[in-house]
Amino acid sequence: MPTTAITPFSGSYQPEDVQFLLQPLAMAYTPVAEKEQLIQSGQSHYSDMLSQEPAPSDKHKALFNQALYEQGFRLAKESVALAKALQQQVAGEQATPIILVSLVRAGVPLGVILQQTLREMGVASVHYGISIIRDRGIDEAALAYIEAKHGTQGIVFVDGWTGKGAITDELAKNLAGRPGYPEQPRLVVLADPGGSAWLSASSDDWLIPFGILGAPVSGLVSRSIWTDKGVHGCVLCDHLAADDCSEQLADVITAHRKHLNLDSIAPALLTEQQGRVQPRLASRAVIQHIVEHYQVDSINRIKPGIAEATRAVLRRVPDHVLVRSLNDPDVELLVHLAQASGVVISEVGDNIGPYRALTIIKKVL
């Protein structure tokens, strides 16, 4: 596809921090309940529809700010460890520019933080946000645009965290046989409880601040929409402009980074270097247990991890929320949202393995 057909934009971020390779669309919104029925009946794919994202409540915003205050230092430190690993593993002695390709939306806030961190480290990098859709794949037009400009040597894919590993599998399937990519996709995440990323800062399921908000912490860009012509689409969520905290997040992490002793932070280790097979096995065992115990007919209805569980309550029709502990402050927002929606909440201890929370989507048909 000719590169002139794509017009990058930066949303509410600074242009030097990210370029979204998406086409803004105008589309009718689908009510959440109707969307759920269409998804589960197979009449429509989730990426064909979008429900209007509601403004976060005062309680939601307060809990986001609390998470940013309490977890911002960890986010800053671990993003430095990831940036150092990318410098070591990708840039190397040849000083190859690092091409951050964030998967919209969850990867974008981390990609912005990595872009700013690498820039401060004097490492050449470029950051794009592109779409990948479960069962439909990565945006071929957007990826071809990046390859034409930069080649493939410096490309790494960025997501916020792993859950069941579905996006990792989708990425691997899409890149298989595509020239210039290693057999294992170079997927970088902050948290890897699913044990499927190439590079991560930890395998913990923790309260990542940008995991509990959508467009207001992702440049006011919606979840991506499937299109069969040109790059995938999105909706610009201008109705949430008053709640936008995308730059706030980046600024807070920058402030924390300035107080870190960067020399004391070791590069994050690749998953294979850490020998972290246990999280992957534990994740699979938990998903299988949930399928059997709760008679779930599709693993797509299982959303593990604090971030995924919270987003599922906000965007889908949830049936059941499982938490390791009701006294865990990191699931306070999830519990609050579930209670407000009348969703059953169960405290299940270690029965959810590496995860601290999990949401099961309601079967509506």
Side-chain angles (χ1 to χ4, degrees):
M1 179 177 187
T3 56
T4 53
I6 300 177
T7 304
F9 66 96
S10 57
S12 63
Y13 289 112
Q14 296 301 311
E16 63 269 22
D17 288 336
V18 65
Q19 291 290 299
F20 288 101
L21 303 183
L22 297 163
Q23 52 178 316
L25 304 173
M27 63 184 298
Y29 290 114
T30 306
V32 173
E34 180 183 347
K35 181 178 69 176
E36 197 64 56
Q37 288 185 326
L38 291 169
I39 292 171
Q40 293 191 28
S41 69
Q43 291 177 265
S44 295
H45 192 270
Y46 77 88
S47 63
D48 294 326
M49 305 169 289
L50 199 66
S51 300
Q52 184 173 40
E53 188 170 331
S57 66
D58 289 343
K59 174 79 169 180
H60 193 158
K61 287 187 285 188
L63 288 171
F64 165 78
N65 285 322
Q66 179 179 322
L68 186 55
Y69 174 77
E70 294 177 349
Q71 307 289 358
F73 182 81
R74 176 175 183 172
L75 178 48
K77 184 176 180 179
E78 293 194 352
S79 59
V80 168
L82 290 174
K84 283 190 168 186
L86 290 175
Q87 181 184 28
Q88 184 181 79
Q89 297 290 335
V90 181
E93 294 180 0
Q94 303 302 315
T96 301
I98 297 171
I99 313 303
L100 302 167
V101 180
S102 288
L103 305 177
V104 173
R105 286 185 304 185
V108 172
L110 177 59
V112 167
I113 292 168
L114 289 174
Q115 170 75 352
Q116 294 180 345
T117 305
L118 289 166
R119 187 164 58 230
E120 289 179 15
M121 290 168 53
V123 178
S125 62
V126 183
H127 179 212
Y128 296 100
I130 76 171
S131 166
I132 189 169
I133 295 172
R134 192 192 69 242
D135 302 328
R136 285 183 163 174
I138 200 161
D139 188 331
E140 295 277 352
L143 190 55
Y145 175 96
I146 296 169
E147 291 169 345
K149 289 177 71 72
H150 306 285
T152 60
Q153 185 178 356
I155 290 179
V156 294
F157 297 92
V158 182
D159 209 350
W161 54 85
T162 63
K164 303 186 297 290
I167 291 301
T168 310
D169 293 344
E170 191 70 50
L171 190 59
K173 182 173 67 176
N174 281 245
L175 297 179
R178 194 179 184 103
Y181 294 95
E183 183 176 350
Q184 181 190 10
R186 295 197 296 190
L187 177 64
V188 181
V189 299
L190 196 62
D192 187 28
S196 62
W198 169 72
L199 173 67
S200 66
S202 80
S203 59
D204 299 343
D205 179 19
W206 60 285
L207 184 59
I208 300 170
F210 62 79
I212 57 175
L213 275 179
V217 77
S218 303
L220 294 179
V221 170
S222 77
R223 174 177 56 74
S224 58
I225 301 298
W226 168 259
T227 56
D228 56 5
K229 294 180 180 178
V231 293
H232 293 178
C234 69
V235 170
L236 301 182
C237 301
D238 295 332
H239 67 289
L240 297 174
D243 300 300
D244 186 22
C245 47
S246 306
E247 292 272 83
Q248 174 196 352
L249 170 71
D251 290 347
V252 168
I253 301 311
T254 295
H256 279 300
R257 193 164 55 243
K258 292 185 184 305
H259 290 92
L260 289 172
N261 178 359
L262 301 188
D263 291 337
S264 70
I265 300 175
L269 294 176
L270 300 180
T271 298
E272 64 180 25
Q273 293 173 328
Q274 298 181 50
R276 285 198 284 109
V277 176
Q278 186 56 35
R280 188 178 306 125
L281 297 176
S283 169
R284 292 173 181 172
V286 165
I287 300 305
Q288 185 60 36
H289 168 73
I290 298 298
V291 165
E292 295 172 359
H293 187 77
Y294 293 92
Q295 298 183 323
V296 180
D297 61 352
S298 169
I299 63 170
N300 292 335
R301 288 175 47 214
I302 300 172
K303 306 297 180 183
I306 294 172
E308 287 300 315
T310 303
R311 289 173 173 228
V313 171
L314 288 166
R315 300 196 312 214
R316 302 290 294 274
V317 179
D319 182 50
H320 206 146
V321 167
L322 311 179
V323 297
R324 187 180 296 174
S325 170
L326 286 167
N327 295 321
D328 182 352
D330 284 3
V331 300
E332 183 180 353
L333 175 61
L334 173 60
V335 170
H336 166 73
L337 293 170
Q339 288 174 336
S341 300
V343 178
V344 176
I345 308 168
S346 297
E347 185 177 57
V348 296
D350 293 335
N351 287 337
I352 49 175
Y355 307 109
R356 289 159 73 185
L358 181 151
T359 292
I360 301 172
I361 302 298
K362 187 181 181 74
K363 185 171 177 60
V364 297
L365 295 174

